[in-house]
Amino acid sequence: MAKLNKLQVATLPDAVLDRRQAVPALIERPEDFLIVAGLAGTAQELSAMTNESPGVFGLGGAMGAAPMMGLGLALAQPKRRVLVVTGDGELLMNLGALATIALQNPPNLTVICVDNGHYGETGNQDSHTGLGVALDRIAAGAGFPVVHTINTEADLAEGRRLLREGSGLAFILLRVKEGPTHKIKRNLVPHVERDRFRRALLGV
Amino acid sequence: MSASAPTAWPDALYDQLRAAGITQFAYVPDAGHKVLIDRALGDPEVHAVPLTTEEEGVAMLAGADLGGARGVLLMQSSGVGNCINLLSLTAGCRFPLLTLVSMRGEFGEGNPWQFPMGQATTKVLEAMGVIVLRAETAAEVTTTVAAALTMAFQSGQAVAVLLTQRLIGAKKF
């Protein structure tokens, strides 16, 4: 089978982290945040990490929606810290959202991209990032004031600090190897996802 | 219709949206929304959010609803086509949605490029579960938007108000 060529300008080192350890090690206590999780891998692992906490809105479709949902939520809830946790595939589908978010610059929002360089749900095809496209440089170019890339365990501490002590908009690129995520059988009824998130946050 | 009505309705519309509690104005610029965009940008009580593509606004307003805020998406009819798959988020989760769509590609249009999407706008919206209302005259704007606000934020529906080319006037070429 013919293979796509890697970008000749690609400079990223090979990914070494396993997402099953790295994502929990970065986020630590999900209950401290309001979280929008992108479809497939990230929604599965956030559901598994929290046993489906109502503080996590996990997408099951509408690919590309997570970053902008996080912006709307962050603007609506300026006193809460909001995380978008999504994959490289979803982020690539709506790169303009990074520019839109950076222009608004909400201080309570962090976008975490769990970048495994592959479309894990559809047959593990290479994604653009797996072929060398650098989302951290795109985020910086879009205007994110803080961009942090996690390649190794040594980079995790700064990521944790940004989530906990950071007082501004940040983009964290968490580069992981391809491979399985933590999974549980999670709710896939969309309106149940909305209703329980709003009930927990707003009491309605 | 009074002589001042054609220029007065956009300002009245902005006041109406603010009175209904809308605090997030997502937009892709269009001449038909110029007054609303300028008013939102000048209003320290709201978030005026320029988008790179209209589908961003569908997702943003869903996030606003999760956080208990109300928003509106301002776009041209061309942008409706950019929203299609993300309207499955609105439909599946039963998010309320209010969008004001300034129409091209219909009454008096002078640019043939505008017709395919303009003529498909209502069908596309309805196919994705969005209720479509039309405002044809300045006198209709307030009552139509009032109806849409109730349908969206009291009844939880997805509603588009088409600001028609008869209302906003066809662009001259």
Side-chain angles (χ1 to χ4, degrees):
Chain A
M1 188 176 70
K3 298 217 30 150
L4 292 161
N5 292 324
K6 275 207 174 194
L7 285 177
Q8 293 193 356
V9 296
T11 55
L12 296 165
D14 287 341
V16 296
L17 294 173
D18 183 325
R19 66 190 299 160
R20 291 170 297 186
Q21 282 92 49
V23 174
L26 174 62
I27 298 175
E28 287 186 309
R29 291 183 304 280
E31 61 272 22
D32 294 344
F33 306 100
L34 299 174
I35 298 177
V36 178
L39 77 171
T42 46
Q44 285 160 1
E45 67 202 344
L46 267 296
S47 296
M49 279 170 61
T50 63
N51 197 23
E52 291 206 290
S53 158
V56 176
F57 182 96
L59 285 153
M63 189 168 177
M68 285 299 295
M69 287 188 76
L71 176 62
L73 178 58
L75 295 177
Q77 289 285 326
K79 292 180 178 164
R80 297 293 304 271
R81 286 204 66 80
V82 175
L83 303 186
V84 170
V85 189
T86 190
D88 45 303
E90 176 168 63
L91 205 56
L92 285 162
M93 191 162 276
N94 207 340
L95 284 175
L98 293 175
T100 297
I101 291 167
L103 279 182
Q104 293 298 311
N105 196 21
N108 58 328
L109 178 64
T110 302
V111 177
I112 299 171
C113 178
V114 182
D115 180 0
N116 67 356
H118 289 80
Y119 291 96
E121 281 293 300
T122 56
N124 232 33
Q125 297 88 350
D126 287 325
S127 81
H128 294 52
T129 64
L131 297 167
V133 171
L135 286 171
D136 47 0
R137 292 165 66 185
I138 291 173
F144 272 67
V146 174
V147 176
H148 177 61
T149 303
I150 299 172
N151 284 307
T152 68
E153 273 189 39
D155 303 322
L156 279 165
E158 174 63 7
R160 280 194 292 268
R161 191 193 68 79
L162 287 171
L163 292 190
R164 299 285 157 183
E165 302 164 27
S167 58
L169 176 66
F171 179 86
I172 297 176
L173 183 65
L174 174 59
R175 298 185 64 245
V176 298
K177 295 181 291 189
E178 59 181 302
T181 59
H182 289 301
K183 272 190 192 184
I184 58 170
K185 186 168 172 54
R186 69 184 181 102
N187 169 55
L188 278 177
V189 181
H191 66 88
V192 170
E193 203 72 9
R194 169 184 179 250
D195 291 346
R196 68 183 184 190
F197 188 100
R198 295 183 88 248
R199 196 177 304 120
L201 176 62
L202 306 168
V204 293
Chain B
M1 191 189 307
S2 74
S4 63
T7 51
W9 69 262
D11 276 309
L13 174 54
Y14 186 80
D15 295 336
Q16 184 181 17
L17 295 171
R18 290 290 290 119
I22 287 178
T23 56
Q24 296 191 15
F25 288 76
Y27 65 91
V28 172
D30 184 55
H33 293 306
K34 185 175 188 312
V35 171
L36 292 181
I37 292 167
D38 288 346
R39 290 282 306 271
L41 286 167
D43 185 344
E45 304 294 315
V46 307
H47 301 285
V49 181
L51 312 169
T52 69
T53 177
E54 292 81 356
E55 65 186 280
E56 291 175 9
V58 176
M60 185 183 114
L61 297 188
D65 175 76
L66 286 183
R70 293 179 175 181
V72 64
L73 170 57
L74 310 176
M75 61 177 160
Q76 189 191 99
S77 46
S78 318
V80 169
N82 293 344
C83 294
I84 298 173
N85 185 47
L86 284 201
L87 288 170
S88 55
L89 173 70
T90 310
C93 293
R94 302 178 190 167
F95 282 114
L97 176 72
L98 176 64
T99 179
L100 306 183
V101 181
S102 53
M103 289 303 297
R104 296 292 306 272
E106 52 161 35
F107 190 81
E109 176 65 59
N111 179 355
W113 291 81
Q114 291 286 351
F115 280 93
M117 192 65 235
Q119 289 298 305
T121 294
T122 297
K123 293 176 203 166
V124 163
L125 287 167
E126 289 178 345
M128 289 307 295
V130 180
I131 298 166
V132 179
L133 307 178
R134 291 176 67 88
E136 299 278 1
T137 66
E140 283 177 8
V141 172
T142 300
T143 49
T144 308
V145 171
L149 283 163
T150 301
M151 293 159 78
F153 297 115
Q154 188 170 317
S155 297
Q157 302 299 303
V159 187
V161 176
L162 308 189
L163 304 174
T164 63
Q165 241 168 319
R166 193 188 283 266
L167 169 68
I168 57 181
K171 191 174 174 181
K172 297 288 181 284
F173 285 91

